[in-house]
Amino acid sequence: MYKTQQELKDRPFTLLVIIAIFSLILVLNILTLYCGDDYVYRFVYQKPVPTYNSQIINTLLIPQSQINHYFNWNGRFVAHTIVQFFMQFNNKLIFDVFNSVAFIGLIVLMSLIVRTITGKKLNAFLLMVTFVYLWYFIPDFGQTVLWISGSGNYLWTSLIYLGFILFCLKEDKSNKLAIIVSLLLGFLAGATNENSGPTAILIASAILVYRLLKYKQLDYVVGAGIMSAISGFALMIQSPGSLHRAHVATDENFLLNNFLSINKMMLHQFWIIYLIMATLFIAGLLSKKIDRQSLMFIGMFTLAHLASIYSMALSPVVPKRTFFGGAVFLGIVLMILAFNVFENFDVDYLIMFGVGLGMIFLFSYHQVHSDISTTNQEVHNQYKIIRHSKAKNMDIARVPMISEPETSYNAYKGTAQIHKESYDWMNIWMAKHFGINRIEGY
């Protein structure tokens, strides 16, 4: 068994897996061009429509832009600071590289949390399985991972709240630096977004109570982080822009309809995982492979999964991409179960399983690559026509609208695109971006 473990955690193989995943995601990032809100965040935010004196964003102007955004649109200043930081660059490749690294960071953070809970070593097999899970079960992959505005709100913020959770799980934090890190990470985690932020607070609080019951001693560092996270969440949720836009009557019928709609969406997205988890859980209990600590954290992250998703019942709209945090927490539960149940499995079976997953993934990736490549060519054609029209000093650029994307891995599926009318908000912002008077679609 020792040899089997050594084979699975072989560092060169682990590094090879990380490089392969990075390369695959980088290709998709490069093929995904600007879309939707990206054009808005290219400029210092003032109003939902551009003004004649709208400035291109830069690092020094981000604070003022986010203050305007906080009072006029929503309070997600952490997420949109990340978005505007990358939108200041003229070369999107900078974002593409860092965003691919961020995706690797998500996989590693999930794996580190699982390792901390189970005591098992990080290995290439865990990274591969986590990647395949995220590939298939992150909702609206294109909008939450590849789209700049969506990635800032979901992928990048997940690094913050998972980092906070991992920090809370660490037991040796008895120094002044730990308190500073706890306060900073906690505040940022609480302010990430409306459902994952409070869920991170819930998990941290559960860890605090667990430690108190186990050691009969209060972890003041985690407690300080929780209080800081609550203040971050309160600051975000009390944004005047958010309160104004989210004003809706939440009566019993509204909540019931949202609850039923969320149930339907959740089962459609995760039913296979629920089935696999139930099977692994029963197998783990019967074989006595799930220890008490793992059992406690399975319950904790399952509750977090449900809380993150069902909290959206209070929202006037529930796009599937808001299930991102719930999918991440569910993936952690799945990995904890898998690590316990498959602990003594022969390496040959795991390799066969990995090869099977790889073949299925490559077929899916080929379809996704083809879909995004088609859209890339169409958007590049739009850019070419707009730049040609501007060079000819034409007042209007008339461009063909893109065809309907085929997969949810395409960032252009479900996001705003050029319309026929030049007064559509998307057309206005895109015209502002390219420095032309008007853009019309046909």
Side-chain angles (χ1 to χ4, degrees), residues 118-147:
T118 63
K120 309 297 190 299
K121 296 296 183 181
L122 184 68
N123 59 58
F125 181 74
L126 176 61
L127 295 177
M128 284 192 296
V129 173
T130 304
F131 168 59
V132 173
Y133 166 80
L134 292 174
W135 175 262
Y136 283 104
F137 295 100
I138 279 183
D140 291 335
F141 194 97
Q143 292 185 25
T144 55
V145 175
L146 303 177
W147 177 33

Side-chain angles (χ1 to χ4, degrees), residues 291-407:
D291 57 43
R292 183 175 296 181
Q293 176 165 298
S294 291
L295 190 62
M296 191 277 298
F297 280 104
I298 287 169
M300 186 187 300
F301 280 95
T302 300
L303 177 62
H305 162 71
L306 296 172
S308 176
I309 292 176
Y310 281 118
S311 62
M312 295 305 298
L314 297 171
S315 175
V317 290
V318 188
K320 192 186 290 185
R321 61 176 178 261
T322 59
F323 287 13
F324 185 95
V328 168
F329 297 133
L330 188 67
I332 291 172
V333 177
L334 179 65
M335 296 309 135
I336 294 172
L337 284 167
F339 246 53
N340 280 279
V341 173
F342 297 125
E343 180 181 11
N344 298 315
F345 262 56
D346 187 270
V347 68
D348 292 336
Y349 290 109
L350 295 179
I351 290 174
M352 288 173 61
F353 179 71
V355 170
L357 281 180
M359 292 177 66
I360 295 171
F361 161 74
L362 288 175
F363 177 75
S364 171
Y365 185 85
H366 174 72
Q367 290 183 309
V368 169
H369 183 275
S370 176
D371 178 36
I372 297 178
S373 294
T374 299
T375 303
N376 174 275
Q377 293 170 9
E378 293 176 346
V379 176
H380 262 304
N381 185 47
Q382 290 180 338
Y383 288 180
K384 182 179 178 181
I385 293 171
I386 293 169
R387 287 170 178 145
H388 177 76
S389 300
K390 181 183 177 182
K392 294 291 185 180
N393 294 318
M394 297 174 65
D395 187 58
I396 302 176
R398 292 183 172 85
V399 300
M401 294 182 288
I402 65 170
S403 58
E404 179 65 24
E406 297 178 357
T407 71

Side-chain angles (χ1 to χ4, degrees), residues 207-219:
I207 293 170
L208 183 70
V209 172
Y210 172 70
R211 293 267 173 78
L212 180 61
L213 294 175
K214 184 176 180 179
Y215 301 114
K216 309 300 180 185
Q217 187 175 357
L218 185 65
D219 190 332

Side-chain angles (χ1 to χ4, degrees), residues 1 3 7 30 48 57 73 81 85 87 99 111 127 141 155 179 181 235 246 253-254 261 267 317 359 390 409:
M1 181 58 197
K3 184 179 178 180
E7 289 173 346
I30 292 172
I57 196 68
W73 195 247
T81 293
F85 175 80
M87 284 306 303
N99 199 52
S111 301
L127 295 177
F141 194 97
L155 173 59
I179 295 176
V181 172
L235 181 63
N253 287 333
F254 172 86
S261 176
L267 289 172
V317 290
M359 292 177 66
K390 181 183 177 182
Y409 297 85

Side-chain angles (χ1 to χ4, degrees), residues 13 42 46 68 104 182 214 222 248 269 277 339 356 414 442:
F13 185 48
R42 171 67 170 168
Q46 292 177 308
N68 296 340
I104 295 296
S182 182
K214 184 176 180 179
V222 172
V248 62
Q269 183 72 19
M277 281 174 49
F339 246 53
Y442 66 86

